[in-house]
Amino acid sequence: MSTRRALLDALRSGPVSGPELADDLGVSRAAVWKAVEALREEGFEVGSTDDGYVAPTDPAYCAAGIEFGLDAPYGVDYHDSIPSTNDRARRLAEEGQSDVAVVADEQTGSRGRLDRDWVAPSGGV
């Protein structure tokens, strides 16, 4: 399990300290901090309290926000904007990847029924 996924799982149960996370995950405190900062840069606003790191009450629409609390046997391949999630999923499958859901906030070059062009603007789907 990745540090990121383990961190998201740990945050589900409430505040957790950096040293506790480092011990539980078998990584350094610096690795925990780096994972928290990466989540923040992605838009998943991990808070800091006297008791430790806490998850946001209303996670942003991003990969971590989707994965948080998700009890599913797959990962999330998130994009702010992408021509087609189906095309991306096909490429991932061709590369041998599996157990991945492709998600985007905006699709700019998708195809609908009868191969008609369509777009899904941000926040529209």
Side-chain angles (χ1 to χ4, degrees):
M1 179 183 296
S2 72
T3 301
R4 167 197 165 93
R5 180 72 248 169
L7 176 59
L8 287 171
D9 288 346
L11 289 172
R12 287 185 356 191
S13 60
V16 61
S17 72
E20 181 183 339
L21 279 168
D23 286 344
D24 290 348
L25 303 177
V27 299
S28 67
R29 289 180 63 191
V32 169
W33 178 83
K34 190 174 181 179
V36 167
E37 287 304 306
L39 288 171
R40 287 175 174 159
E41 287 174 16
E42 182 182 316
F44 189 81
E45 292 299 323
V46 178
S48 296
T49 68
D50 290 341
D51 295 325
Y53 294 116
V54 294
T57 54
D58 186 18
Y61 188 65
C62 60
I66 296 167
E67 290 176 32
F68 182 69
L70 180 67
D71 186 18
Y74 54 83
V76 176
D77 182 52
Y78 175 84
H79 302 268
D80 288 326
S81 180
I82 193 170
S84 169
T85 54
N86 278 338
D87 289 347
R88 172 71 177 153
R90 281 187 198 91
R91 279 193 299 279
L92 290 174
E94 289 167 358
E95 294 170 4
Q97 293 193 35
S98 62
D99 301 326
V100 178
V102 180
V103 180
D105 183 46
E106 173 185 50
Q107 291 186 80
T108 58
S110 299
R111 292 173 308 281
R113 290 185 60 211
L114 304 174
D115 208 30
R116 293 181 181 140
D117 292 339
W118 70 279
V119 296
S122 178
V125 175

